Amino acid sequence: MVIHFLRENDGESVLNDLAEHIAAEENDTTVRQLSSDQRKRVYIGLYQCHLPKMDSLGVIDYDKNRGTIELQASVAQLLEYMDLDEDDREDAEERERTWAVPAVAGCVTVLVTAGAVGLGPLAAVPAATWTLLSVVGILAIVALQYTG
């Protein structure tokens, strides 16, 4: 809930706002209808346990004195293991695809370069085949950029 709330609020919040939001979610009510006990229970859990632990793991930057919380970039590693809503799932899938474009470009570059300099059996491959391979590689990169 901490990560989700921070992601919805530009990656930062103050402890009071976070605690109220989580307390309202946990108690299936609004922030205005929360009792002071409901607020206090969540606030103490966050203050004493959850936020310091997340800070020590590098997921957030938590300034206990100021009560500020900031989401760290390392949270991206956790997103694939979290139960995400549809928009978050799409963002995670897009990040997973980001490796594919450089991988395809790298493979095509290595193969065409190896063939062009005449390395081993690749030297026997006709120039038209290298051209075709390059075009297919470029089309694959374009397809990866525009599919989703």
Side-chain angles (χ1 to χ4, degrees):
M1 291 180 89
V2 170
I3 292 170
H4 185 72
F5 181 79
L6 291 173
R7 290 185 78 213
E8 287 181 346
N9 291 281
D10 298 323
E12 56 188 47
S13 181
V14 292
L15 179 54
N16 286 334
D17 292 345
L18 175 64
E20 284 182 339
H21 171 78
I22 292 175
E25 289 284 322
E26 287 182 354
N27 291 287
D28 197 27
T29 188
T30 66
V31 170
R32 296 189 82 166
Q33 295 174 332
L34 285 171
S35 71
S36 89
D37 285 344
Q38 290 169 325
R39 280 185 177 88
K40 186 177 180 180
R41 183 186 55 76
V42 172
Y43 183 97
I44 290 171
L46 289 168
Y47 180 83
Q48 292 181 345
C49 179
H50 304 297
L51 297 179
K53 175 81 86 177
M54 293 174 78
D55 183 52
S56 71
L57 294 171
V59 176
I60 61 168
D61 182 27
Y62 172 48
D63 185 333
K64 208 171 194 176
N65 295 328
R66 291 184 175 167
T68 58
I69 306 136
E70 186 176 340
L71 199 57
Q72 297 297 302
S74 62
V75 77
Q77 297 171 3
L78 300 175
L79 295 178
E80 65 184 275
Y81 302 104
M82 295 175 58
D83 185 24
L84 304 171
D85 63 26
E86 189 60 34
D87 289 338
D88 289 340
R89 248 187 227 101
E90 289 173 7
D91 291 344
E93 288 171 5
E94 185 176 324
R95 283 189 299 277
E96 288 173 9
R97 278 196 311 271
T98 59
W99 66 268
V101 171
V104 169
C107 288
V108 169
T109 301
V110 168
L111 282 173
V112 171
T113 302
V117 297
L119 279 174
L122 296 177
V125 176
T129 304
W130 293 120
T131 303
L132 180 62
L133 177 64
S134 297
V135 169
V136 169
I138 291 168
L139 292 174
I141 290 170
V142 170
L144 287 168
Q145 291 290 325
Y146 292 103
T147 59

